[in-house]
Structures are given as C-alpha cells and as structure tokens.
Amino acid sequence: MARTAEPVRRSRGAASEQNLVWGSGSLGELPEVADALGCRRVLAVASRSADPVVARLPGLLGGRYLGRWSDVPAHVPAHQANLAVGSAQETHADAVLAIGGGSAIGLGKIVSLALRLPLIAVPTTFSGAERTSRYFVTTARGKETGTSGHALPRAVLYDPDLVAGLPREVVASSGITAAAHCLEVLCHPASEEALASAREGLLLLWSSLAPLAAGDLATCQDALAGAALAGHALHELGRPGVVHRVCDLVSTRHGLGYGRLHALFLPLVLRAYGEAAAGARAALAELRPGVPAEQAVAEFAATMGLTAEVDPGRVAGAVGIGVAELRLMLAELSVVAGDRAEAEVFERLVASC
C-alpha cells in the first residue's frame, strides 16, 4: 500500500539555529533549503548505502549539484578527510550535503569546517550527529575531537521514508548510541533544556527502536525525533559522555562497531556513575518500573538483537581484548578526563575490572 505523504514541518532550535525540516517526503524540500542558504554549488558526501538517495539529487538540485564524494570510511580518517576537502576546493563547492549516518555526517562536518561552508544534513540512521557541533578525525595519535559552530549543520532534513528500509543491525547500532547519549546527559548537572531533551529523546527511542528493528515502519518518525533530541541534548551538554569516550577509543583501536560496544559498556558506566546517575535511573524507572537500571538497559539492547553483559571481564572477552588492556585504556581516559568527577567514573570502571 502506498504511504500518504505527511505534511512537512519546520522548526528552528533556539540554541543551535538549525533549520529542521520534518516529515515524509521532506527530501523533496532540498531545493528550497539550498536556496535559503544561498547554495549554488553543492557537493554531496554520502557512502554507497545512500545510493538511492543520491540518485535523486540531480533531479532535485539540477545544475547546483556538483557530484558526490563516496569514500566514507568509519571514524573519519585524517587522510580521507584531506582528500574530501581537496575535492570540495577543486570543484569550488559553496555548500556540503552530508547524507547517511555518523560517518558521512562526520566527514561532511570536517569539509564544512575546513572551508567554512554551510552544511546540510540528511540523516539516514539514528546517530544524532546532525544536531551537534562536535567533530573528529582519526590520526596516527588516535581520535582527535573538538567543537565548532562551523561544524554544526545549518539545516537538517528528517525524512522517515529514508530510514524505512534500514537493516536491523543499523537500527540497533545507531539507536543504542542515541539512547546512551540521553542517559549520559542525565548523569550530569546539565541545563534544563539538555535534561528535558534527554528525557523526551529517551522516551521516544525506548518506544520506537525495538518495534522498528522488528519491522514496524510506523515508528520511523518517532525514532528520528528521539535521535534528534539525543543529539541536541549532547550538544547542549557540550561534551561527550564517558561511555561515548570509551567506545570511541575501543572502536578506533580494534575496529569494532559502536552499537555492540555501547550495549556492552553502558550498563557498566551507569553503575560507575554511582549517585550521579540518579537522573538516568529515575528516567529508566519510569520506563521499566521495578527493574534495576543496568538490567533495563541490557534488556533494551537485547530487544534489538544486541547482547549486553554487566560483567567487565565478560565485556573484555566479548570485544576480543584482555582485561589488562581494558584497564589500561580506561586508565588512559581517566588521565585526560574533563573534570575530577569524570575521572572518578573512569577510575571506578578500572577498579571494577
């Protein structure tokens, strides 16, 4: 049965000044969005998984479409970022269009930041990267990150039609990452805007991701909205949380997927936050009354096909590393923690291994 197009809705985030375009068929609003930003030469950054979307760009953008940068590896390797920046320079692009998940949007951010070009994002997963000003590249020294207003997409098109056919593993991997953002924001003394976004985002993700992973396409828009709120909450917090930093380090060094790592480490990190996790525990208690927070998170991950363990020794084995190496990595992160409270979370993680 053909789906009826939903009306396109726009909103503008007060803090982030992003033009957010919502609704089924909203990709069709791309020409209007590009016009509003004064874009005349648009370079797309999109991996091969976004081929169906990219195929529509010549018809949507016409002569404004310069072509597509398709080499989008995970973790934004610095050499690849340099090549993409060079391509944008050579084609005299005046705007970047990033289509995909965290990797494509992350690479788009680097090109936009390097050349001070407006960035338009079309998310096709639930990473929430499109709502943050955080950027990173992976060099020989590891993952180097920062924040800049130039890395924040000026406009985001949320089209649920584009996530309707996602494989279950992509729904699970990106979705659990977004849920982790919400929970970690709730472990910090953040602004009320950040906390409210985190609570609402967690509620939407909790109710939509498992049905979507099981094939219920009716929850696509709620999942996108939850991911958007998760990203905005993280943006308002102003820094990545502990579980995100642990997963960044482990995934970069061992080439492991974010989703499984978040499922494995999130229960442990909640436990390590101790009393600081009261807000996160309260939010989870509303979703799963009477169930311990760590168990609730593990079972949530399991509903999407992600196995989680709350035993640090088992986590180490599950990701193919030794407990000693895991301790060293956590100790390394504790040294560069943003503040003493965060360092203590890492130290408690080390002690639990």
Side-chain angles (χ1 to χ4, degrees):
M1 179 182 296
R3 299 183 64 197
T4 302
E6 302 165 10
V8 173
R9 305 193 305 276
R10 290 180 177 79
S11 62
R12 186 175 293 276
S16 58
E17 294 301 317
Q18 289 182 294
N19 180 23
L20 308 181
V21 183
W22 290 91
S24 178
S26 60
L27 182 66
E29 297 295 304
L30 181 57
E32 182 181 335
V33 169
D35 284 344
L37 293 174
C39 306
R40 294 293 178 265
R41 299 179 62 82
V42 181
L43 176 69
V45 174
S47 61
R48 291 300 180 189
S49 63
D51 281 352
V53 182
V54 173
R56 297 173 59 184
L57 297 182
L60 289 169
L61 293 173
R64 288 173 292 190
Y65 180 52
L66 295 176
R68 172 253 202 109
W69 183 268
S70 61
D71 195 352
V72 185
H75 309 303
V76 194
H79 73 279
Q80 194 62 42
N82 289 334
L83 291 173
V85 169
S87 179
Q89 288 177 310
E90 290 173 4
T91 57
H92 303 288
D94 67 3
V96 182
L97 172 62
I99 305 170
S103 296
I105 294 173
L107 181 55
K109 286 181 176 182
I110 295 300
V111 178
S112 177
L113 176 63
L115 302 178
R116 297 299 192 265
L117 302 179
L119 175 62
I120 302 170
V122 181
T124 61
T125 72
F126 307 109
S127 74
E130 73 282 352
R131 295 300 312 276
T132 79
S133 60
R134 182 176 181 252
Y135 65 88
F136 61 86
V137 293
T138 302
T139 69
R141 294 185 296 274
K143 190 166 283 189
E144 300 182 11
T145 185
T147 59
S148 170
H150 293 291
L152 185 71
R154 297 278 299 280
V156 186
L157 277 63
Y158 287 104
D159 191 335
D161 296 343
L162 305 184
V163 297
L166 282 181
R168 183 185 187 189
E169 58 269 21
V170 177
V171 173
S173 178
S174 59
I176 192 70
T177 301
H181 292 333
C182 294
L183 288 168
E184 286 231 72
V185 169
L186 294 171
C187 292
H188 288 81
S191 69
E192 185 50 45
E193 181 176 355
L195 295 173
S197 293
R199 286 189 289 265
E200 185 179 354
L202 181 64
L203 176 62
L204 286 168
L205 292 165
W206 200 272
S207 63
S208 64
L209 288 174
L212 183 57
D216 182 359
L217 302 185
T219 65
C220 285
Q221 182 133 321
D222 280 353
L224 278 174
L229 287 164
H232 182 61
L234 190 65
H235 174 77
E236 289 296 309
L237 181 64
R239 64 182 187 184
V242 169
V243 72
H244 192 89
R245 296 186 65 189
V246 171
C247 294
D248 265 356
L249 184 60
V250 176
S251 66
T252 301
R253 292 190 179 175
H254 292 273
L256 299 167
Y258 260 29
R260 180 165 174 74
L261 290 176
H262 274 84
L264 289 167
F265 282 107
L266 185 53
L268 296 175
V269 170
L270 281 176
R271 179 184 292 169
Y273 267 113
E275 294 182 0
R281 292 181 183 280
L284 288 169
E286 291 184 10
L287 297 169
R288 292 292 307 278
V291 178
E294 294 84 358
Q295 180 183 338
V297 169
E299 291 177 354
F300 173 62
T303 64
M304 296 184 288
L306 294 170
T307 302
E309 297 280 359
V310 294
D311 182 326
R314 292 184 181 179
V315 166
V319 297
I321 60 178
V323 173
E325 183 182 359
L326 177 58
R327 287 174 177 164
L328 286 173
M329 284 192 285
L330 295 173
E332 181 181 330
L333 289 170
S334 71
V335 173
V336 295
D339 53 39
R340 183 57 198 161
E342 184 176 86
E344 289 176 353
V345 177
F346 285 117
E347 289 167 5
R348 284 193 286 271
L349 280 171
V350 173
S352 71
C353 294

